[in-house]
Amino acid sequence: MIERLFRFRHPLVQLEKHRLTRVARGFIPEELAPLYQRVVPDPETAIDQLEFLVVDFETSGLDPERDTILSIGMVEIRQQTLSLSSASHFYVAKPQQVKPDTAVINHITPETLAAGVSLEQSIHDLLERMPGKILVAHGAAIERDFLRRALAVDRSADLPVVWLDTLMLERSLATNRGKEGKDYRLCQIRQEKGLPGYLAHNALADSVATGELFLVLLKEIFAGLPPTLGPLYYRSLYGRA
């Protein structure tokens, strides 16, 4: 009985109930309809049965209300394998948004963005790849909040999208091991796990680096047991097992 009650309250089950409620009420924007047509996976769903889209946004700052997306990188994971052939990277054409310090950190110049695509087109391209996939990001709150802002979706009306956060997954492991307060930067975690260095603050490189880290975290978290979605989503939300 307790196990059934916990399952009923699992965040994935609640997200599916939210999706069904929104569908029943209607008034879903056309561009978001494909997301609402997909059932949120059950907590017991095996990882091998799912497809993942690892995303990274480079932005002009951390405030979605004032700052903007400069570039988007993404790559897919299928059958616990990173598919480099699926990788894509595009810049958002708003050269006036580039701050001097941002240009240095993100290796983005006004000239680079001038050859990019509009924010609307870049978000449209991202939305086309999202249905049926679990999204993965490092520090996923940034990507989630900037996407909400770009879609003009209120914080209280979460999209029926499952986000897995590699930062929170690592935090859950650190909490279990009594090592809270560590450095959770992507480059630092990768170094601790023996993963190679990469070009940081580049959306495509960051998405590939996050995908590699995610696959390592899967092995650490499940320690030889068949990985399922429920524990990963719970850890991603709360930073603990």
Side-chain angles (χ1 to χ4, degrees):
M1 172 65 91
I2 294 177
E3 185 176 341
R4 286 184 61 191
L5 182 61
F6 176 76
R7 185 188 178 286
F8 179 75
R9 293 179 176 174
H10 193 281
L12 285 172
V13 176
Q14 298 302 310
L15 187 59
E16 170 62 6
K17 290 176 64 178
H18 168 78
R19 182 191 72 84
L20 291 172
T21 299
R22 287 294 305 274
V23 170
R25 290 177 179 172
F27 306 109
I28 296 171
E30 182 179 353
E31 63 181 348
L32 301 181
L35 297 179
Y36 282 91
Q37 292 166 358
R38 299 285 186 136
V39 174
V40 175
D42 184 89
E44 298 300 319
T45 305
I47 293 302
D48 283 347
Q49 296 177 9
L50 299 168
E51 293 187 359
F52 300 84
L53 183 65
V54 189
V55 298
D56 182 80
F57 292 174
E58 295 301 316
T59 64
S60 62
L62 298 179
D63 185 349
E65 299 300 321
R66 295 184 305 172
D67 298 308
T68 189
I69 299 170
L70 300 178
S71 67
I72 298 176
M74 56 184 122
V75 65
E76 296 180 14
I77 294 176
R78 310 183 194 99
Q79 296 288 313
Q80 297 189 50
T81 300
L82 199 67
S83 173
L84 292 179
S85 64
S86 71
S88 62
H89 186 205
F90 39 86
Y91 295 94
V92 178
K94 282 195 174 181
Q96 71 276 13
Q97 296 285 346
V98 180
K99 303 171 185 176
D101 54 345
T102 301
V104 172
I105 294 172
N106 295 326
H107 319 287
I108 297 174
T109 65
E111 291 76 18
T112 300
L113 295 190
V117 299
S118 68
L119 178 60
E120 293 74 17
Q121 182 61 50
S122 62
I123 295 299
H124 173 78
D125 292 346
L126 174 59
L127 284 175
E128 281 197 327
R129 296 183 65 173
M130 284 174 55
K133 294 186 178 65
I134 308 300
L135 267 64
V136 180
H138 191 77
I142 293 175
E143 280 76 13
R144 186 182 64 241
D145 288 348
F146 271 89
L147 181 59
R148 278 192 190 125
R149 181 73 177 95
L151 296 172
V153 175
D154 187 82
R155 283 176 176 266
S156 63
D158 267 345
L159 295 171
V161 175
V162 178
W163 287 87
L164 297 181
D165 188 340
T166 50
L167 186 156
M168 294 296 280
L169 293 178
E170 175 64 17
R171 177 172 288 174
S172 73
L173 289 171
T175 299
N176 292 348
R177 297 164 180 167
K179 296 182 178 179
E180 295 133 295
K182 58 177 286 185
D183 187 339
Y184 291 106
R185 288 177 300 165
L186 178 59
C187 59
Q188 181 62 33
I189 298 172
R190 284 177 57 90
Q191 183 178 354
E192 291 174 4
K193 299 185 185 300
L195 291 168
Y198 69 101
L199 177 63
H201 303 297
N202 171 278
L204 178 57
D206 279 354
S207 64
V208 172
T210 299
E212 291 175 341
L213 175 60
F214 175 66
L215 294 176
V216 171
L217 290 170
L218 277 182
K219 296 185 182 301
E220 289 191 27
I221 289 170
F222 291 98
L225 297 174
T228 56
L229 181 60
L232 292 177
Y233 191 56
Y234 189 89
R235 287 171 181 256
S236 288
L237 289 177
Y238 305 114
R240 62 179 189 274

